[in-house]
Amino acid sequence: METPFLIIGAGVSGATLARVLADAGQHVMVIDERDHVGGNCHTAIDPATGIMVHAYGPHIFHTDQEHVWDFVSRFANFIPYRHRVLAVANGQAYRLPINLHTLSQFFSRCFKPEEAKKFLSAHAEEIPHPVTFEEQALSTIGRPLYEAFFKGYTIKQWGRDPSELPASILKRLPVRFSFDDNYFHHQRQALPEKGYTQMVLNMLAHENIVTRLGCRFEEMPEIDVQHTFYSGPIDRYFQYKAGRLAYRTLHFEELRERGDIQGTPVINFCDLEVPHTRITEHRHLSSWQQETSGSIAFVETSREAGENDIPYYPVHLASDKKQLTQYKKMASQTRDVTFLGRLGTYSYLDMDQAIAQALKIAEKTLNDMQNAGLRKANCA
């Protein structure tokens, strides 16, 4: 089969790109070194309990981008889901993101919205242009809330002091002056009924797509392709010529009990003395499944990614900027290769953002092909 396009990585970015190109009549080969598709969104049924497990940590689909929602809805039946997270700090359980209930419980008083705004404003430190995570926190919520909910958790999650991390990380987490404890604010929030892996398999189920698993791109025999799309770590593609970029990886410890383990999907553990960052109990992520007699949860601990670890999050330290600039320059000078996804662009992308990026790249690729054809026809 003619294969003008090679896609390295069978996660949501690669699968989205492959399907759009295939629907347009293009032939595509998708490879992945793992034995499953879906990347870090991989889901599977636990044989002992029948519970849908998010193998690499919980992934909630949330978006306001209707074209993204329309696309994924072609490949999965999505069940509406509102994600709620508990945070344990100093022996007490609170709701995140910070909202009126959190504030009232933490400060032992009942706030009205305007009262809460004035209260936080009075406790916030005056930092005109916050640059770091710590400065952003102190300038918006003040020291007591920062130290209770974010300082210890951030040190555990990122392996750095919050004074070393960019403010953009905290800007992702809102403060709500209402009793709304929905973790996300997007209009569309849901989970695929049969899991993300089945959704990706449905994307790749096309006569123009060939998928090869357990295939490392470095060891793949050379094939004649028109263009390559790469969604793995950008520094790995260039054989770490400018050094290794910083990533965090995750370690999961399995918990099993006959009954409910913690009564909620996710609990964050904010105290630095507790080594793990959170526990996810998967039965609560798919409540539409048949009731089971057992439950499975995973204790999650973050650490620096080593050579043989799966990279989850790009860290984006100031010290990485020089290296990243070098890799971006290499990428721009590499013919017939496009880098995409969280790892390929070294960006913290949510799932809908990764899919939107892949849709845009697919559209540009097809437009470029059409324009090249027109130019060729005109020259003839």
Side-chain angles (χ1 to χ4, degrees):
M1 184 186 82
E2 179 192 5
T3 309
F5 295 112
L6 173 65
I7 298 175
I8 300 170
V12 292
S13 293
T16 297
L17 179 60
R19 186 57 186 239
V20 177
L21 293 176
D23 283 343
Q26 303 302 315
H27 292 276
V28 185
M29 178 181 288
V30 180
I31 68 169
D32 199 295
E33 66 185 10
R34 303 191 212 186
D35 62 359
H36 61 75
V37 302
N40 287 354
C41 296
H42 174 54
T43 50
I45 297 294
D46 175 55
T49 62
I51 294 170
M52 179 74 71
V53 171
H54 296 224
Y56 302 99
H59 287 79
I60 315 302
F61 190 84
H62 52 97
T63 189
D64 284 331
Q65 303 185 75
E66 282 300 311
H67 72 296
V68 171
W69 176 254
D70 291 342
F71 178 78
V72 296
S73 296
R74 291 172 52 195
F75 307 102
N77 177 39
F78 278 85
I79 306 295
Y81 172 84
R82 291 293 184 266
H83 193 47
R84 288 178 168 82
V85 175
L86 280 172
V88 174
N90 299 317
Q92 294 290 322
Y94 301 88
R95 285 289 183 185
L96 288 181
I98 291 173
N99 59 74
L100 285 184
H101 187 272
T102 317
L103 295 172
S104 297
Q105 182 183 356
F106 188 83
F107 292 107
S108 300
R109 54 181 291 187
C110 186
F111 286 104
K112 295 179 180 179
E114 290 304 317
E115 291 173 340
K117 290 178 185 178
K118 291 178 181 177
F119 184 86
L120 284 191
S121 179
H123 284 76
E125 298 184 13
E126 194 171 337
I127 304 173
H129 305 290
V131 174
T132 68
F133 183 105
E134 183 173 74
E135 290 175 344
Q136 180 69 23
L138 295 176
S139 65
T140 53
I141 59 174
R143 191 168 295 276
L145 290 171
Y146 161 65
E147 293 188 345
F149 295 112
F150 297 112
K151 186 174 182 178
Y153 186 89
T154 301
I155 291 171
K156 293 190 293 184
Q157 177 74 357
W158 295 97
R160 275 92 178 164
D161 191 273
S163 62
E164 300 177 65
L165 296 169
S168 58
I169 295 175
L170 184 62
K171 288 178 181 178
R172 294 166 53 87
L173 304 174
V175 175
R176 296 208 181 104
F177 296 102
S178 69
F179 286 95
D180 179 10
D181 63 354
N182 179 6
Y183 197 74
F184 303 110
H185 67 276
H186 300 92
Q187 182 179 357
R188 303 287 192 179
Q189 300 180 44
L191 289 165
E193 182 180 11
K194 295 184 179 180
Y196 290 108
T197 296
Q198 186 59 55
M199 180 186 80
V200 171
L201 285 171
N202 292 342
M203 289 181 181
L204 296 173
H206 193 288
E207 61 183 0
N208 290 343
I209 300 174
V210 172
T211 304
R212 292 184 179 175
L213 301 178
C215 180
R216 289 174 60 89
F217 79 93
E218 296 97 336
E219 300 167 359
M220 186 177 176
E222 190 171 328
I223 60 173
D224 185 23
V225 296
Q226 179 178 328
H227 199 92
T228 297
F229 300 91
Y230 177 80
S231 64
I234 188 171
D235 52 346
R236 175 178 165 183
Y237 183 89
F238 292 108
Q239 300 177 319
Y240 309 104
K241 289 178 182 176
R244 290 182 178 272
L245 294 168
Y247 300 92
R248 298 293 285 177
T249 192
L250 298 175
H251 172 75
F252 299 95
E253 179 186 347
E254 184 181 291
L255 295 178
R256 289 183 182 269
E257 291 185 15
R258 294 189 63 183
D260 201 335
I261 294 173
Q262 63 182 16
T264 194
V266 176
I267 297 180
N268 288 357
F269 293 86
C270 303
D271 299 332
L272 192 57
E273 296 75 22
V274 179
H276 51 272
T277 52
R278 63 181 178 179
I279 299 178
T280 300
E281 187 172 6
H282 293 264
R283 67 189 293 172
H284 299 292
L285 292 172
S286 51
S287 57
W288 61 87
Q289 289 186 290
Q290 188 175 0
E291 185 68 26
T292 64
S293 59
S295 192
I296 181 171
F298 287 94
V299 181
E300 190 174 310
T301 306
S302 174
R303 59 179 170 79
E304 203 76 4
E307 289 186 26
N308 299 314
D309 290 321
I310 297 172
Y312 283 78
Y313 311 110
V315 180
H316 272 300
L317 293 174
S319 56
D320 285 329
K321 286 184 179 179
K322 184 178 178 180
Q323 287 175 300
L324 185 57
T325 300
Q326 289 177 282
Y327 283 123
K328 286 184 174 180
K329 184 177 180 180
M330 292 180 202
S332 68
Q333 295 173 345
T334 303
R335 288 176 54 83
D336 301 326
V337 179
T338 298
F339 297 82
L340 73 157
R342 178 181 284 192
L343 301 179
T345 60
Y346 199 70
S347 314
Y348 198 105
L349 300 175
D350 286 329
M351 202 182 316
D352 69 319
Q353 294 171 323
I355 292 170
Q357 182 193 70
L359 291 172
K360 188 175 181 180
I361 289 171
E363 181 182 14
K364 181 180 184 303
T365 300
L366 294 171
N367 285 340
D368 288 347
M369 291 179 66
Q370 184 179 24
N371 292 335
L374 287 172
R375 286 194 297 271
K376 190 175 182 179
N378 289 335
C379 291

